[in-house]
Amino acid sequence: MSLPATQLQEVHERFAAFLKDRGQRRTPERFAVLDALYDTPDHVDADTLYLRLKNDGVRVSRATVYNTLDLLLESDLAARHQWGQNQAKYERAWAYWQHDHLICLDCGEILEFCDPRLQEIQETVADLYGFEVARHALTIYGHCRRENCPTRPETTE
Amino acid sequence: MSLPATQLQEVHERFAAFLKDRGQRRTPERFAVLDALYDTPDHVDADTLYLRLKNDGVRVSRATVYNTLDLLLESDLAARHQWGQNQAKYERAWAYWQHDHLICLDCGEILEFCDPRLQEIQETVADLYGFEVARHALTIYGHCRRENCPTRPETTE
DNA sequence: ATAACTGCAAAACATTTGCATACAG
DNA sequence: CTGTATGCAAATGTTTTGCAGTTAT
């Protein structure tokens, strides 16, 4: 579930350095949010993270959770995905680099994959349009063919 | 700006067929929303579409705009993008097929591109995970290098 | 005729903001 | 000490919903 202690420490140090660099405080709340996110193997929304922290006896407000998540995004320690039309999902993004997502439209299952051709596409596009590429987000939607996919569409056949 | 009349008619017919097929009514409001979307060469949010219609003297409510946009999505006549964390953007998706987006993080400019390797990636992934792929969404974020990019970050150099 | 659709305004929901208080540096 | 961060609750902004009245079929 969680990352090995060495990597967790690396992440802490990176966040601390980022904050120091910007003249921002290293508060216990911020590290609590960082830890809660890195304790999550998949994708969480801000409110779930808030509730989880609260439940664990950590006193943080929703405002701080949102604020900290923004800082984590800016420091490349987190990634945000806007899959539904409402809640954003967050995931840890350090020691866990570049991957993309495959989502089942029936059951919502989210799989991760990585394809080197995306790197090539990025380079081609960067060249073609004179862009300096920062990152990309690819999501493939489809239907998983598992028997236990809970929401199979009305099987017409 | 707008599509040639023949294609617009094709789109109308397709929407009419879709609605008929589902036993839903072909109301003037629905076609007004369809036309307003297809009159947009780029990406619009629902509220802008609503205001534009209202301004053109078409009596539609926001609720109908949202409802109709959903129908257009379901009939593959429109595509939705969730780029910011708030407003969704819509674009026409017929006679204008499969393309992806390149967004400048500084000025927000949105470019479109198409790369055949994405098709290959989709196929590989479909194979690998036993998915039947429906569609994909790829967005590349970066910095356009235009001199007139209005929000160049503080050029440190 | 009659079920589906519409407009309107209120509700819902995630996220942001303002301000008095707390605390890291 | 001082300015930055925090918690709380109220505000915001987008999308959804309920309902009485309309309208396509």
Side-chain angles (χ1 to χ4, degrees):
Chain A
M1 279 260 151
S2 193
L3 248 49
T6 4
Q7 294 198 341
L8 249 189
Q9 197 183 331
E10 214 178 291
V11 166
H12 267 239
E13 277 163 17
R14 193 181 155 80
F15 193 34
F18 169 82
L19 289 170
K20 185 167 190 184
D21 203 56
R22 310 218 315 191
Q24 296 194 263
R25 292 201 201 145
R26 278 128 274 158
T27 66
E29 289 85 357
R30 286 177 176 168
F31 286 98
V33 173
L34 174 63
D35 287 341
L37 181 66
Y38 272 75
D39 216 35
T40 311
D42 53 355
H43 313 89
V44 246
D45 57 274
D47 208 59
T48 300
L49 222 43
Y50 163 71
L51 259 21
R52 192 179 300 168
L53 281 160
K54 191 169 184 174
N55 211 49
D56 289 357
V58 181
R59 283 190 96 267
V60 253
S61 64
R62 247 176 271 260
T64 298
V65 172
Y66 279 102
N67 161 43
T68 305
L69 284 170
D70 280 344
L71 293 171
L72 292 174
L73 290 174
E74 289 175 56
S75 55
D76 285 326
L77 288 170
R80 170 163 58 201
H81 300 286
Q82 214 72 213
W83 286 314
Q85 51 260 251
N86 28 13
Q87 258 174 167
K89 298 279 197 181
Y90 296 83
E91 67 179 336
R92 61 193 186 190
W94 192 251
Y96 200 66
W97 226 197
Q98 218 20 299
H99 64 270
D100 294 285
H101 299 90
L102 185 57
I103 302 183
C104 176
L105 292 165
D106 305 321
C107 65
E109 193 195 15
I110 301 175
L111 298 174
E112 298 176 352
F113 69 92
C114 192
D115 193 301
R117 282 170 289 193
L118 259 162
Q119 186 60 38
E120 297 168 21
I121 293 177
Q122 277 196 181
E123 282 162 21
T124 303
V125 170
D127 260 29
L128 209 56
Y129 293 92
F131 256 67
E132 181 194 325
V133 172
R135 64 174 200 275
H136 76 257
L138 168 64
T139 303
I140 296 181
Y141 296 90
H143 306 276
C144 75
R145 290 263 152 237
R146 303 183 309 160
E147 281 158 34
N148 57 334
C149 177
T151 331
R152 285 205 176 224
E154 321 76 37
T155 5
T156 328
E157 331 100 70
Chain B
M1 281 256 152
S2 193
L3 247 50
T6 3
Q7 293 198 339
L8 248 189
Q9 196 183 331
E10 213 177 293
V11 167
H12 267 238
E13 279 163 16
R14 193 181 155 80
F15 193 35
F18 169 82
L19 290 170
K20 185 167 191 184
D21 203 55
R22 309 217 316 190
Q24 295 193 265
R25 291 202 203 146
R26 278 128 272 159
T27 65
E29 290 84 356
R30 287 178 175 167
F31 286 98
V33 174
L34 175 64
D35 287 342
L37 181 67
Y38 271 76
D39 216 35
T40 311
D42 51 356
H43 313 89
V44 246
D45 57 273
D47 206 59
T48 300
L49 222 43
Y50 163 70
L51 259 20
R52 193 180 298 167
L53 282 160
K54 191 170 184 172
N55 209 49
D56 290 355
V58 183
R59 284 189 96 268
V60 253
S61 65
R62 248 177 271 262
T64 297
V65 171
Y66 279 102
N67 161 43
T68 305
L69 284 170
D70 280 345
L71 293 171
L72 292 174
L73 290 174
E74 288 175 57
S75 55
D76 285 328
L77 289 169
R80 170 163 59 199
H81 300 286
Q82 211 69 206
W83 285 314
Q85 49 260 252
N86 29 13
Q87 261 173 165
K89 297 280 195 181
Y90 296 83
E91 68 178 337
R92 60 193 186 189
W94 192 251
Y96 199 67
W97 224 197
Q98 218 22 297
H99 63 270
D100 294 285
H101 298 90
L102 185 56
I103 302 185
C104 176
L105 292 165
D106 305 321
C107 65
E109 193 196 15
I110 301 176
L111 298 173
E112 297 176 352
F113 69 92
C114 191
D115 193 300
R117 281 169 291 192
L118 260 162
Q119 185 60 37
E120 296 168 21
I121 292 177
Q122 278 194 180
E123 283 163 21
T124 302
V125 170
D127 260 28
L128 210 53
Y129 293 92
F131 256 66
E132 181 195 324
V133 172
R135 63 174 200 275
H136 76 257
L138 168 63
T139 303
I140 297 181
Y141 296 90
H143 306 277
C144 75
R145 289 263 152 238
R146 303 185 308 161
E147 282 158 33
N148 57 334
C149 177
T151 330
R152 284 204 177 224
E154 322 75 38
T155 4
T156 328
E157 331 100 71

